[in-house]
Amino acid sequence: MTAQDIENLHGALPLLHKVPTKFLEAQFASMLTIPTQVWRKGFKGLVAATPPLERGPITVPTQIL
């Protein structure tokens, strides 16, 4: 993950509310410490997962925020 990758990701994900710049900068800095193979495995897991709507209804008490 490069700084440019993070900027591209940030630009692709809309934020509903304004997020403090210092908070985002801290998050971006911490993202740069995650090894590339961790990002790749995480992405592969997301792509391979069954979408929640295809799993059926939620059958236990759940609080959705």
Side-chain angles (χ1 to χ4, degrees):
M1 182 68 74
T2 66
Q4 185 60 50
D5 293 331
I6 293 169
E7 285 296 323
N8 293 340
L9 180 61
H10 174 62
L13 300 172
L15 297 174
L16 183 59
H17 300 285
K18 178 133 176 72
V19 178
T21 303
K22 286 188 176 193
F23 175 80
L24 289 176
E25 289 171 353
Q27 297 308 303
F28 294 164
S30 68
M31 288 175 166
L32 291 172
T33 66
I34 300 171
T36 301
Q37 68 269 19
V38 174
W39 284 107
R40 286 188 180 135
K41 286 180 181 180
F43 179 73
K44 286 179 183 179
L46 287 172
V47 170
T50 302
L53 294 176
E54 293 179 12
R55 290 184 177 188
I58 298 171
T59 59
V60 297
T62 305
Q63 180 178 12
I64 300 174
L65 303 175

